[in-house]
Amino acid sequence: MVTTDRFPKECIQIITAHKGRRKLSSQRKNLYIATTEGISTSLFQALLGGPFLTGYLLYLGADSSVIGFVLSITTLFNIVQIFIAFLVQKLQARKWTLVIFIALQRTLWGATGLIPFVLSKEWWVPVFIVLYASAFLSNTVINVLWTSLLGDIVPAGVRGKYFGIRNTITSALGSIAIFAGGKLLDSYPESTGFLILYILAWFFGIMNIVTFCFYPDIPFEKSTENRIMPMIKKTFRDKSFINSTIFLASWLFLQTLVVPLFSYVMLDLLHINYQTVSLLTVVQTFSMMSSLYVWGNLNAKYSNRTLLFWTLPIIAGSCLAWGLLSFIPVLPVLFLSHILFGIGAGGFNQLVFNFTIGDTPKSERPMFIAMFAAITGVATFFGPMIGGQLFKLMKVLPDWVQQFGFQTVVGFVMLIVALTFGRRILKEAK
């Protein structure tokens, strides 16, 4: 249990502690900048992503197939990171290249808000897809540069605790933005509501670009290889890394067979109203946010792989919990499932990030990051698509199979995989 008096004290010590009278050390100043950047990034993404992205696409006239394509294409772009990781080896430093692509990504994504005002309706959806895809193609460069830069900025000794605090702060503010954005869209017509939402996003986007300009320009330790194939081969020679990556990709494939479709099951099959589904999302986010600080503290004592192993049974339990619908009322089961998923996914996402920047060789880190993103990206691209098709095939079966049977079976498979392959590959990896 985290006490309210301890958390702010440790936040100050890690992020904003002073050296001398009121002067920050360069190291702590960099952590403060990274935290400030994370806040503006979180607010920008919260206002344009998640439920608002789906809502805006519906407003533009997109159907379910287009929405599914838009939501999944960003993970497929992760494959491009392999080539980006090779090209960034030509850079002398990372900062200004990162700033340029941040500005490009924020501008392209933010420009989607202008579509209804400058184009005729038949062009709304096609132009959105082009701008959105271009924005997240730029994002592949950002992912490689930002992750490797943060790995150099944040000292290994405080990495787990720092990212626990940083992610807690950004998640909390992102949740507030989502709640406020939802109230805004309920209060105004869609055209007016989305315009206000985009104006706020543009403000935080500009703030985000400016904040990135204050990042330090840390010298870039480059790979010892100057050709792409030897760089790729190095990732496969690291058996511990590649085995962990393949396992985590397989795990994410199983997870995305059902988790992205939780809302579909609740709304279309269990006939839960939107207000209750929104409340469950808030509970899940709060559970995730509350767990981040705890996972961060545990990361100071235990390795990334060991803690990753601990998150797996919790995530599997969130799917298994759906089986309780056979004899327990719907709402208690759904709250339990979302709480478990929030706790497990919060730790999983944070520890995967720490794994890619902390358990990989510094000079080869961009390619290791890119390879991890590419392999897991393919898995998370196909998972929801196959899961959706399986739900369609199950329509001829009794209702309970779709309502909770499929989720329970997948959860059981995930638990077995976690306790067998997960234990061997993650917990015992050196």
Side-chain angles (χ1 to χ4, degrees), residues 62-97:
D63 59 21
S64 59
S65 62
V66 172
I67 293 173
F69 172 74
V70 170
L71 293 178
S72 62
I73 194 173
T74 57
T75 59
L76 193 62
F77 280 155
N78 287 342
I79 298 173
V80 181
Q81 290 191 36
I82 295 174
F83 303 99
I84 300 300
F86 170 70
L87 293 175
V88 298
Q89 299 297 320
K90 310 297 182 182
L91 299 174
Q92 296 301 318
R94 291 160 287 185
K95 174 184 173 179
W96 293 113
T97 303

Side-chain angles (χ1 to χ4, degrees), residues 159 238 240-241 244 299 303-306 308 351-362 365 368 426 429-430:
R159 192 170 286 153
D238 189 331
S240 178
F241 168 80
S244 297
N299 206 188
S303 71
N304 295 317
R305 287 182 173 92
T306 295
L308 268 173
L351 291 160
V352 159
F353 178 81
N354 292 347
F355 162 69
T356 56
I357 68 172
D359 294 4
T360 54
K362 185 177 180 181
R365 189 173 291 155
F368 275 77
L426 294 178
K430 301 297 182 183

Side-chain angles (χ1 to χ4, degrees), residues 43-44 47-48 52 56 59 110 113-114 116-117 177 180-204:
L43 292 172
F44 176 80
L47 292 170
L48 297 189
F52 304 138
Y56 189 60
Y59 167 65
L114 299 175
F117 301 98
K183 295 288 288 184
L184 176 69
L185 291 176
D186 282 340
S187 303
Y188 293 93
E190 283 185 320
S191 57
T192 305
F194 280 117
L195 175 60
I196 298 173
L197 210 64
Y198 266 90
I199 290 173
L200 292 172
W202 291 333
F203 171 78
F204 289 117

Side-chain angles (χ1 to χ4, degrees), residues 136-210:
F136 279 86
L137 192 58
S138 301
N139 204 56
T140 60
V141 180
I142 296 169
N143 286 340
V144 173
L145 292 175
W146 182 83
T147 309
S148 66
L149 183 60
L150 260 288
D152 293 340
I153 288 175
V154 183
V158 299
R159 192 170 286 153
K161 184 175 289 187
Y162 168 74
F163 282 113
I165 293 171
R166 181 183 187 273
N167 292 343
T168 301
I169 295 171
T170 57
S171 296
L173 294 175
S175 298
I176 293 172
I178 290 174
F179 178 79
K183 295 288 288 184
L184 176 69
L185 291 176
D186 282 340
S187 303
Y188 293 93
E190 283 185 320
S191 57
T192 305
F194 280 117
L195 175 60
I196 298 173
L197 210 64
Y198 266 90
I199 290 173
L200 292 172
W202 291 333
F203 171 78
F204 289 117
I206 294 170
M207 181 188 297
N208 189 235
I209 296 167
V210 172

Side-chain angles (χ1 to χ4, degrees), residues 160 295-307 310 351:
W295 287 115
N297 278 337
L298 289 172
N299 206 188
K301 300 178 181 179
Y302 302 98
S303 71
N304 295 317
R305 287 182 173 92
T306 295
L307 291 179
W310 291 359
L351 291 160

